[in-house]
Amino acid sequence: PCSTKMQKAVFLVFALLAALASASVTVTPITHHELAQQLGSNWECSGCVDFFNQAINQLVNIIANVGVLGGCNTVCSYLDAQWEAEMCNVVCDIVGIMEFANLIGDADPDPLWLCIEVSLCPYNDYAKGAIKTLTVTPPSGPQGTTFNIELVYQITNTTGVGEVVVEVDPMDGSDPLDMSEIIVAQAPGLYKVTGQVQTQPTEDDPFNAGTYRVVGAVCEGTCGGQHSHTFTIAEGQSSFKITA
């Protein structure tokens, strides 16, 4: 039964979360809201997202090369980690092997969208909010400076699954530096996001002198994604300067 599969998913996610990687930014509530009531549903959604983030590329290759005739157990058994195989079986059993393969075979298999489609993450096409402040301290400094970023945003209509992203755009047009955190069923209230950018030069990130744009965004679904139930709730900009 579907309820049994969902209960199994919740139990498995609780067992697996300790092994999953933490995010680069921290989201904390400023105003009181009922986090305890959200906690149960959040675990299964976060676990599903972490699973697809880890295993999606493997699953694409497995289904392309092995096929689906052996069912969920066969497909999932090819995953490298045991926890991935177990979570794979739970998710695959919920929707069935054919629908699971169709979702994995999407042209842009987005983990948040996938978890909505398998009913392990909520969505709200009417989520609303606003950026209140986006600050960087210090506003300028030499190479090697650690810049502290703080984003404060307000949710006015509860979200489904989404993310908060802080992006730093190098002045030379090279690839941006991204920090993100998944949010699930965030209730109305004020939230603060904190992160750091350490500008010690490396071969990949030279951190040349100049002005760096900082963009903060709160999204329903994946920021910049093209799937259903995906849009930008709010966005703001700031900057910092690396001096010569």
Side-chain angles (χ1 to χ4, degrees), residues 132-167:
K132 308 301 286 185
T133 60
L134 176 57
T135 59
V136 184
T137 54
S140 66
Q143 283 182 331
T145 299
T146 297
F147 293 92
N148 297 292
I149 300 172
E150 181 179 284
L151 168 67
V152 176
Y153 65 94
Q154 182 177 27
I155 295 299
T156 55
N157 196 22
T158 302
T159 72
V161 63
E163 63 177 350
V164 181
V165 173
V166 175
E167 178 181 291

PDB file of all heavy atoms in Angstrom, residues 132-167:
ATOM      1  N   LYS A 132      14.393  41.277   2.186  1.00  0.00           N
ATOM      2  CA  LYS A 132      14.405  42.468   3.047  1.00  0.00           C
ATOM      3  C   LYS A 132      15.758  43.170   3.000  1.00  0.00           C
ATOM      4  O   LYS A 132      15.818  44.381   2.807  1.00  0.00           O
ATOM      5  CB  LYS A 132      14.049  42.089   4.492  1.00  0.00           C
ATOM      6  CG  LYS A 132      12.757  41.284   4.628  1.00  0.00           C
ATOM      7  CD  LYS A 132      11.547  42.039   4.083  1.00  0.00           C
ATOM      8  CE  LYS A 132      11.104  43.158   4.984  1.00  0.00           C
ATOM      9  NZ  LYS A 132       9.856  43.807   4.493  1.00  0.00           N
ATOM     10  N   THR A 133      16.844  42.414   3.189  1.00  0.00           N
ATOM     11  CA  THR A 133      18.189  43.000   3.111  1.00  0.00           C
ATOM     12  C   THR A 133      19.162  41.954   2.572  1.00  0.00           C
ATOM     13  O   THR A 133      18.985  40.749   2.784  1.00  0.00           O
ATOM     14  CB  THR A 133      18.704  43.482   4.485  1.00  0.00           C
ATOM     15  OG1 THR A 133      18.754  42.370   5.396  1.00  0.00           O
ATOM     16  CG2 THR A 133      17.807  44.566   5.062  1.00  0.00           C
ATOM     17  N   LEU A 134      20.193  42.434   1.892  1.00  0.00           N
ATOM     18  CA  LEU A 134      21.321  41.605   1.465  1.00  0.00           C
ATOM     19  C   LEU A 134      22.577  42.436   1.677  1.00  0.00           C
ATOM     20  O   LEU A 134      22.790  43.436   0.988  1.00  0.00           O
ATOM     21  CB  LEU A 134      21.182  41.194   0.001  1.00  0.00           C
ATOM     22  CG  LEU A 134      22.353  40.399  -0.600  1.00  0.00           C
ATOM     23  CD1 LEU A 134      22.628  39.123   0.183  1.00  0.00           C
ATOM     24  CD2 LEU A 134      22.092  40.068  -2.063  1.00  0.00           C
ATOM     25  N   THR A 135      23.391  42.049   2.652  1.00  0.00           N
ATOM     26  CA  THR A 135      24.561  42.846   3.013  1.00  0.00           C
ATOM     27  C   THR A 135      25.827  42.006   2.961  1.00  0.00           C
ATOM     28  O   THR A 135      25.794  40.783   3.152  1.00  0.00           O
ATOM     29  CB  THR A 135      24.408  43.434   4.429  1.00  0.00           C
ATOM     30  OG1 THR A 135      24.231  42.359   5.373  1.00  0.00           O
ATOM     31  CG2 THR A 135      23.211  44.361   4.505  1.00  0.00           C
ATOM     32  N   VAL A 136      26.945  42.686   2.702  1.00  0.00           N
ATOM     33  CA  VAL A 136      28.263  42.053   2.700  1.00  0.00           C
ATOM     34  C   VAL A 136      29.181  42.886   3.593  1.00  0.00           C
ATOM     35  O   VAL A 136      29.266  44.110   3.432  1.00  0.00           O
ATOM     36  CB  VAL A 136      28.857  41.975   1.285  1.00  0.00           C
ATOM     37  CG1 VAL A 136      30.190  41.222   1.317  1.00  0.00           C
ATOM     38  CG2 VAL A 136      27.890  41.313   0.313  1.00  0.00           C
ATOM     39  N   THR A 137      29.856  42.208   4.523  1.00  0.00           N
ATOM     40  CA  THR A 137      30.818  42.899   5.385  1.00  0.00           C
ATOM     41  C   THR A 137      32.132  42.121   5.421  1.00  0.00           C
ATOM     42  O   THR A 137      32.106  40.891   5.491  1.00  0.00           O
ATOM     43  CB  THR A 137      30.275  43.043   6.820  1.00  0.00           C
ATOM     44  OG1 THR A 137      29.893  41.762   7.326  1.00  0.00           O
ATOM     45  CG2 THR A 137      29.086  43.983   6.861  1.00  0.00           C
ATOM     46  N   PRO A 138      33.256  42.814   5.362  1.00  0.00           N
ATOM     47  CA  PRO A 138      33.350  44.251   5.066  1.00  0.00           C
ATOM     48  C   PRO A 138      32.956  44.532   3.622  1.00  0.00           C
ATOM     49  O   PRO A 138      32.959  43.617   2.796  1.00  0.00           O
ATOM     50  CB  PRO A 138      34.830  44.545   5.316  1.00  0.00           C
ATOM     51  CG  PRO A 138      35.514  43.246   4.996  1.00  0.00           C
ATOM     52  CD  PRO A 138      34.582  42.176   5.473  1.00  0.00           C
ATOM     53  N   PRO A 139      32.664  45.780   3.271  1.00  0.00           N
ATOM     54  CA  PRO A 139      32.290  46.076   1.880  1.00  0.00           C
ATOM     55  C   PRO A 139      33.463  45.989   0.921  1.00  0.00           C
ATOM     56  O   PRO A 139      33.258  45.833  -0.286  1.00  0.00           O
ATOM     57  CB  PRO A 139      31.735  47.504   1.964  1.00  0.00           C
ATOM     58  CG  PRO A 139      32.356  48.086   3.194  1.00  0.00           C
ATOM     59  CD  PRO A 139      32.501  46.951   4.159  1.00  0.00           C
ATOM     60  N   SER A 140      34.693  46.077   1.444  1.00  0.00           N
ATOM     61  CA  SER A 140      35.877  45.967   0.591  1.00  0.00           C
ATOM     62  C   SER A 140      37.050  45.472   1.414  1.00  0.00           C
ATOM     63  O   SER A 140      37.059  45.560   2.646  1.00  0.00           O
ATOM     64  CB  SER A 140      36.218  47.313  -0.055  1.00  0.00           C
ATOM     65  OG  SER A 140      36.605  48.263   0.923  1.00  0.00           O
ATOM     66  N   GLY A 141      38.048  44.919   0.713  1.00  0.00           N
ATOM     67  CA  GLY A 141      39.237  44.419   1.378  1.00  0.00           C
ATOM     68  C   GLY A 141      40.197  43.819   0.367  1.00  0.00           C
ATOM     69  O   GLY A 141      39.816  43.560  -0.784  1.00  0.00           O
ATOM     70  N   PRO A 142      41.441  43.574   0.760  1.00  0.00           N
ATOM     71  CA  PRO A 142      42.425  43.003  -0.160  1.00  0.00           C
ATOM     72  C   PRO A 142      42.179  41.512  -0.394  1.00  0.00           C
ATOM     73  O   PRO A 142      41.355  40.887   0.283  1.00  0.00           O
ATOM     74  CB  PRO A 142      43.747  43.234   0.576  1.00  0.00           C
ATOM     75  CG  PRO A 142      43.361  43.217   2.023  1.00  0.00           C
ATOM     76  CD  PRO A 142      42.011  43.857   2.087  1.00  0.00           C
ATOM     77  N   GLN A 143      42.893  40.942  -1.349  1.00  0.00           N
ATOM     78  CA  GLN A 143      42.845  39.489  -1.567  1.00  0.00           C
ATOM     79  C   GLN A 143      43.120  38.775  -0.239  1.00  0.00           C
ATOM     80  O   GLN A 143      43.987  39.181   0.527  1.00  0.00           O
ATOM     81  CB  GLN A 143      43.894  39.064  -2.592  1.00  0.00           C
ATOM     82  CG  GLN A 143      43.554  39.354  -4.019  1.00  0.00           C
ATOM     83  CD  GLN A 143      44.627  38.848  -4.978  1.00  0.00           C
ATOM     84  OE1 GLN A 143      45.797  38.768  -4.612  1.00  0.00           O
ATOM     85  NE2 GLN A 143      44.231  38.521  -6.198  1.00  0.00           N
ATOM     86  N   GLY A 144      42.385  37.698  -0.002  1.00  0.00           N
ATOM     87  CA  GLY A 144      42.538  36.964   1.242  1.00  0.00           C
ATOM     88  C   GLY A 144      41.502  37.326   2.288  1.00  0.00           C
ATOM     89  O   GLY A 144      41.354  36.618   3.294  1.00  0.00           O
ATOM     90  N   THR A 145      40.758  38.414   2.061  1.00  0.00           N
ATOM     91  CA  THR A 145      39.718  38.823   3.001  1.00  0.00           C
ATOM     92  C   THR A 145      38.571  37.807   3.005  1.00  0.00           C
ATOM     93  O   THR A 145      38.202  37.260   1.958  1.00  0.00           O
ATOM     94  CB  THR A 145      39.163  40.212   2.616  1.00  0.00           C
ATOM     95  OG1 THR A 145      40.218  41.165   2.677  1.00  0.00           O
ATOM     96  CG2 THR A 145      38.038  40.636   3.543  1.00  0.00           C
ATOM     97  N   THR A 146      38.016  37.544   4.179  1.00  0.00           N
ATOM     98  CA  THR A 146      36.801  36.744   4.283  1.00  0.00           C
ATOM     99  C   THR A 146      35.615  37.698   4.337  1.00  0.00           C
ATOM    100  O   THR A 146      35.498  38.507   5.269  1.00  0.00           O
ATOM    101  CB  THR A 146      36.810  35.860   5.540  1.00  0.00           C
ATOM    102  OG1 THR A 146      37.889  34.926   5.439  1.00  0.00           O
ATOM    103  CG2 THR A 146      35.497  35.097   5.674  1.00  0.00           C
ATOM    104  N   PHE A 147      34.757  37.637   3.330  1.00  0.00           N
ATOM    105  CA  PHE A 147      33.570  38.483   3.262  1.00  0.00           C
ATOM    106  C   PHE A 147      32.370  37.716   3.811  1.00  0.00           C
ATOM    107  O   PHE A 147      32.114  36.571   3.412  1.00  0.00           O
ATOM    108  CB  PHE A 147      33.305  38.916   1.824  1.00  0.00           C
ATOM    109  CG  PHE A 147      34.347  39.843   1.270  1.00  0.00           C
ATOM    110  CD1 PHE A 147      35.443  39.347   0.572  1.00  0.00           C
ATOM    111  CD2 PHE A 147      34.247  41.213   1.475  1.00  0.00           C
ATOM    112  CE1 PHE A 147      36.418  40.195   0.070  1.00  0.00           C
ATOM    113  CE2 PHE A 147      35.220  42.076   0.972  1.00  0.00           C
ATOM    114  CZ  PHE A 147      36.312  41.571   0.272  1.00  0.00           C
ATOM    115  N   ASN A 148      31.659  38.328   4.735  1.00  0.00           N
ATOM    116  CA  ASN A 148      30.488  37.716   5.363  1.00  0.00           C
ATOM    117  C   ASN A 148      29.217  38.225   4.691  1.00  0.00           C
ATOM    118  O   ASN A 148      29.002  39.439   4.597  1.00  0.00           O
ATOM    119  CB  ASN A 148      30.457  38.044   6.850  1.00  0.00           C
ATOM    120  CG  ASN A 148      31.660  37.469   7.584  1.00  0.00           C
ATOM    121  OD1 ASN A 148      31.795  36.265   7.724  1.00  0.00           O
ATOM    122  ND2 ASN A 148      32.557  38.352   8.033  1.00  0.00           N
ATOM    123  N   ILE A 149      28.415  37.301   4.223  1.00  0.00           N
ATOM    124  CA  ILE A 149      27.180  37.645   3.519  1.00  0.00           C
ATOM    125  C   ILE A 149      25.981  37.316   4.403  1.00  0.00           C
ATOM    126  O   ILE A 149      25.912  36.236   4.999  1.00  0.00           O
ATOM    127  CB  ILE A 149      27.080  36.868   2.194  1.00  0.00           C
ATOM    128  CG1 ILE A 149      28.274  37.208   1.289  1.00  0.00           C
ATOM    129  CG2 ILE A 149      25.763  37.176   1.477  1.00  0.00           C
ATOM    130  CD1 ILE A 149      28.358  36.349   0.047  1.00  0.00           C
ATOM    131  N   GLU A 150      25.060  38.253   4.486  1.00  0.00           N
ATOM    132  CA  GLU A 150      23.825  38.022   5.251  1.00  0.00           C
ATOM    133  C   GLU A 150      22.620  38.428   4.400  1.00  0.00           C
ATOM    134  O   GLU A 150      22.540  39.551   3.910  1.00  0.00           O
ATOM    135  CB  GLU A 150      23.832  38.819   6.550  1.00  0.00           C
ATOM    136  CG  GLU A 150      22.569  38.597   7.386  1.00  0.00           C
ATOM    137  CD  GLU A 150      22.573  39.376   8.688  1.00  0.00           C
ATOM    138  OE1 GLU A 150      23.285  38.954   9.623  1.00  0.00           O
ATOM    139  OE2 GLU A 150      21.885  40.416   8.755  1.00  0.00           O
ATOM    140  N   LEU A 151      21.728  37.472   4.216  1.00  0.00           N
ATOM    141  CA  LEU A 151      20.492  37.697   3.458  1.00  0.00           C
ATOM    142  C   LEU A 151      19.314  37.510   4.404  1.00  0.00           C
ATOM    143  O   LEU A 151      19.201  36.471   5.063  1.00  0.00           O
ATOM    144  CB  LEU A 151      20.402  36.697   2.297  1.00  0.00           C
ATOM    145  CG  LEU A 151      19.070  36.587   1.555  1.00  0.00           C
ATOM    146  CD1 LEU A 151      18.778  37.876   0.791  1.00  0.00           C
ATOM    147  CD2 LEU A 151      19.079  35.396   0.605  1.00  0.00           C
ATOM    148  N   VAL A 152      18.463  38.526   4.487  1.00  0.00           N
ATOM    149  CA  VAL A 152      17.237  38.424   5.282  1.00  0.00           C
ATOM    150  C   VAL A 152      16.054  38.482   4.322  1.00  0.00           C
ATOM    151  O   VAL A 152      15.964  39.397   3.487  1.00  0.00           O
ATOM    152  CB  VAL A 152      17.133  39.546   6.328  1.00  0.00           C
ATOM    153  CG1 VAL A 152      15.797  39.472   7.064  1.00  0.00           C
ATOM    154  CG2 VAL A 152      18.292  39.457   7.318  1.00  0.00           C
ATOM    155  N   TYR A 153      15.190  37.487   4.415  1.00  0.00           N
ATOM    156  CA  TYR A 153      14.018  37.475   3.540  1.00  0.00           C
ATOM    157  C   TYR A 153      12.771  37.143   4.334  1.00  0.00           C
ATOM    158  O   TYR A 153      12.833  36.600   5.443  1.00  0.00           O
ATOM    159  CB  TYR A 153      14.192  36.491   2.379  1.00  0.00           C
ATOM    160  CG  TYR A 153      14.288  35.028   2.766  1.00  0.00           C
ATOM    161  CD1 TYR A 153      13.160  34.205   2.779  1.00  0.00           C
ATOM    162  CD2 TYR A 153      15.514  34.454   3.092  1.00  0.00           C
ATOM    163  CE1 TYR A 153      13.253  32.862   3.109  1.00  0.00           C
ATOM    164  CE2 TYR A 153      15.612  33.120   3.432  1.00  0.00           C
ATOM    165  CZ  TYR A 153      14.476  32.327   3.439  1.00  0.00           C
ATOM    166  OH  TYR A 153      14.565  30.989   3.773  1.00  0.00           O
ATOM    167  N   GLN A 154      11.635  37.477   3.768  1.00  0.00           N
ATOM    168  CA  GLN A 154      10.353  37.248   4.416  1.00  0.00           C
ATOM    169  C   GLN A 154       9.485  36.356   3.542  1.00  0.00           C
ATOM    170  O   GLN A 154       9.359  36.586   2.339  1.00  0.00           O
ATOM    171  CB  GLN A 154       9.629  38.571   4.667  1.00  0.00           C
ATOM    172  CG  GLN A 154       8.294  38.415   5.399  1.00  0.00           C
ATOM    173  CD  GLN A 154       7.652  39.765   5.699  1.00  0.00           C
ATOM    174  OE1 GLN A 154       7.882  40.739   4.987  1.00  0.00           O
ATOM    175  NE2 GLN A 154       6.862  39.816   6.755  1.00  0.00           N
ATOM    176  N   ILE A 155       8.923  35.332   4.135  1.00  0.00           N
ATOM    177  CA  ILE A 155       7.933  34.485   3.461  1.00  0.00           C
ATOM    178  C   ILE A 155       6.552  34.942   3.915  1.00  0.00           C
ATOM    179  O   ILE A 155       6.292  35.048   5.121  1.00  0.00           O
ATOM    180  CB  ILE A 155       8.147  32.999   3.796  1.00  0.00           C
ATOM    181  CG1 ILE A 155       9.483  32.504   3.242  1.00  0.00           C
ATOM    182  CG2 ILE A 155       6.995  32.152   3.245  1.00  0.00           C
ATOM    183  CD1 ILE A 155       9.618  32.589   1.738  1.00  0.00           C
ATOM    184  N   THR A 156       5.686  35.239   2.964  1.00  0.00           N
ATOM    185  CA  THR A 156       4.328  35.691   3.291  1.00  0.00           C
ATOM    186  C   THR A 156       3.275  34.640   2.953  1.00  0.00           C
ATOM    187  O   THR A 156       2.142  34.736   3.425  1.00  0.00           O
ATOM    188  CB  THR A 156       4.005  37.002   2.560  1.00  0.00           C
ATOM    189  OG1 THR A 156       4.215  36.829   1.143  1.00  0.00           O
ATOM    190  CG2 THR A 156       4.900  38.129   3.063  1.00  0.00           C
ATOM    191  N   ASN A 157       3.634  33.664   2.137  1.00  0.00           N
ATOM    192  CA  ASN A 157       2.736  32.528   1.868  1.00  0.00           C
ATOM    193  C   ASN A 157       3.610  31.284   1.781  1.00  0.00           C
ATOM    194  O   ASN A 157       4.568  31.232   1.011  1.00  0.00           O
ATOM    195  CB  ASN A 157       1.961  32.727   0.567  1.00  0.00           C
ATOM    196  CG  ASN A 157       0.768  31.791   0.471  1.00  0.00           C
ATOM    197  OD1 ASN A 157       0.270  31.287   1.472  1.00  0.00           O
ATOM    198  ND2 ASN A 157       0.294  31.560  -0.748  1.00  0.00           N
ATOM    199  N   THR A 158       3.302  30.284   2.576  1.00  0.00           N
ATOM    200  CA  THR A 158       4.149  29.106   2.780  1.00  0.00           C
ATOM    201  C   THR A 158       4.669  28.521   1.481  1.00  0.00           C
ATOM    202  O   THR A 158       3.938  28.384   0.500  1.00  0.00           O
ATOM    203  CB  THR A 158       3.366  28.021   3.547  1.00  0.00           C
ATOM    204  OG1 THR A 158       2.921  28.564   4.786  1.00  0.00           O
ATOM    205  CG2 THR A 158       4.240  26.807   3.832  1.00  0.00           C
ATOM    206  N   THR A 159       5.948  28.131   1.497  1.00  0.00           N
ATOM    207  CA  THR A 159       6.577  27.526   0.320  1.00  0.00           C
ATOM    208  C   THR A 159       6.309  26.028   0.283  1.00  0.00           C
ATOM    209  O   THR A 159       5.883  25.426   1.267  1.00  0.00           O
ATOM    210  CB  THR A 159       8.101  27.727   0.336  1.00  0.00           C
ATOM    211  OG1 THR A 159       8.676  26.892   1.353  1.00  0.00           O
ATOM    212  CG2 THR A 159       8.461  29.175   0.594  1.00  0.00           C
ATOM    213  N   GLY A 160       6.587  25.427  -0.876  1.00  0.00           N
ATOM    214  CA  GLY A 160       6.736  23.983  -0.955  1.00  0.00           C
ATOM    215  C   GLY A 160       8.207  23.676  -0.764  1.00  0.00           C
ATOM    216  O   GLY A 160       8.855  24.234   0.126  1.00  0.00           O
ATOM    217  N   VAL A 161       8.766  22.811  -1.613  1.00  0.00           N
ATOM    218  CA  VAL A 161      10.219  22.613  -1.590  1.00  0.00           C
ATOM    219  C   VAL A 161      10.847  23.641  -2.527  1.00  0.00           C
ATOM    220  O   VAL A 161      10.343  23.928  -3.608  1.00  0.00           O
ATOM    221  CB  VAL A 161      10.606  21.180  -2.013  1.00  0.00           C
ATOM    222  CG1 VAL A 161      10.193  20.878  -3.453  1.00  0.00           C
ATOM    223  CG2 VAL A 161      12.103  20.951  -1.842  1.00  0.00           C
ATOM    224  N   GLY A 162      11.939  24.213  -2.079  1.00  0.00           N
ATOM    225  CA  GLY A 162      12.626  25.212  -2.886  1.00  0.00           C
ATOM    226  C   GLY A 162      14.045  25.364  -2.392  1.00  0.00           C
ATOM    227  O   GLY A 162      14.585  24.484  -1.716  1.00  0.00           O
ATOM    228  N   GLU A 163      14.649  26.468  -2.726  1.00  0.00           N
ATOM    229  CA  GLU A 163      16.011  26.699  -2.258  1.00  0.00           C
ATOM    230  C   GLU A 163      16.287  28.182  -2.117  1.00  0.00           C
ATOM    231  O   GLU A 163      15.634  29.021  -2.738  1.00  0.00           O
ATOM    232  CB  GLU A 163      17.044  26.051  -3.179  1.00  0.00           C
ATOM    233  CG  GLU A 163      17.093  26.580  -4.582  1.00  0.00           C
ATOM    234  CD  GLU A 163      18.195  25.934  -5.417  1.00  0.00           C
ATOM    235  OE1 GLU A 163      19.038  25.205  -4.856  1.00  0.00           O
ATOM    236  OE2 GLU A 163      18.224  26.174  -6.636  1.00  0.00           O
ATOM    237  N   VAL A 164      17.254  28.468  -1.255  1.00  0.00           N
ATOM    238  CA  VAL A 164      17.816  29.807  -1.125  1.00  0.00           C
ATOM    239  C   VAL A 164      19.219  29.739  -1.712  1.00  0.00           C
ATOM    240  O   VAL A 164      20.012  28.871  -1.331  1.00  0.00           O
ATOM    241  CB  VAL A 164      17.872  30.256   0.345  1.00  0.00           C
ATOM    242  CG1 VAL A 164      18.443  31.660   0.439  1.00  0.00           C
ATOM    243  CG2 VAL A 164      16.489  30.196   0.973  1.00  0.00           C
ATOM    244  N   VAL A 165      19.523  30.636  -2.628  1.00  0.00           N
ATOM    245  CA  VAL A 165      20.816  30.632  -3.303  1.00  0.00           C
ATOM    246  C   VAL A 165      21.497  31.977  -3.116  1.00  0.00           C
ATOM    247  O   VAL A 165      20.858  33.027  -3.258  1.00  0.00           O
ATOM    248  CB  VAL A 165      20.653  30.347  -4.811  1.00  0.00           C
ATOM    249  CG1 VAL A 165      21.986  30.513  -5.541  1.00  0.00           C
ATOM    250  CG2 VAL A 165      20.123  28.937  -5.033  1.00  0.00           C
ATOM    251  N   VAL A 166      22.774  31.941  -2.779  1.00  0.00           N
ATOM    252  CA  VAL A 166      23.614  33.132  -2.783  1.00  0.00           C
ATOM    253  C   VAL A 166      24.701  32.895  -3.829  1.00  0.00           C
ATOM    254  O   VAL A 166      25.435  31.909  -3.755  1.00  0.00           O
ATOM    255  CB  VAL A 166      24.246  33.396  -1.407  1.00  0.00           C
ATOM    256  CG1 VAL A 166      25.212  34.581  -1.488  1.00  0.00           C
ATOM    257  CG2 VAL A 166      23.170  33.657  -0.361  1.00  0.00           C
ATOM    258  N   GLU A 167      24.770  33.783  -4.801  1.00  0.00           N
ATOM    259  CA  GLU A 167      25.704  33.643  -5.918  1.00  0.00           C
ATOM    260  C   GLU A 167      26.643  34.841  -5.965  1.00  0.00           C
ATOM    261  O   GLU A 167      26.207  35.987  -5.875  1.00  0.00           O
ATOM    262  CB  GLU A 167      24.930  33.540  -7.231  1.00  0.00           C
ATOM    263  CG  GLU A 167      25.798  33.432  -8.476  1.00  0.00           C
ATOM    264  CD  GLU A 167      24.970  33.361  -9.746  1.00  0.00           C
ATOM    265  OE1 GLU A 167      24.299  32.346  -9.953  1.00  0.00           O
ATOM    266  OE2 GLU A 167      24.985  34.343 -10.517  1.00  0.00           O
TER     267      GLU A 167
END
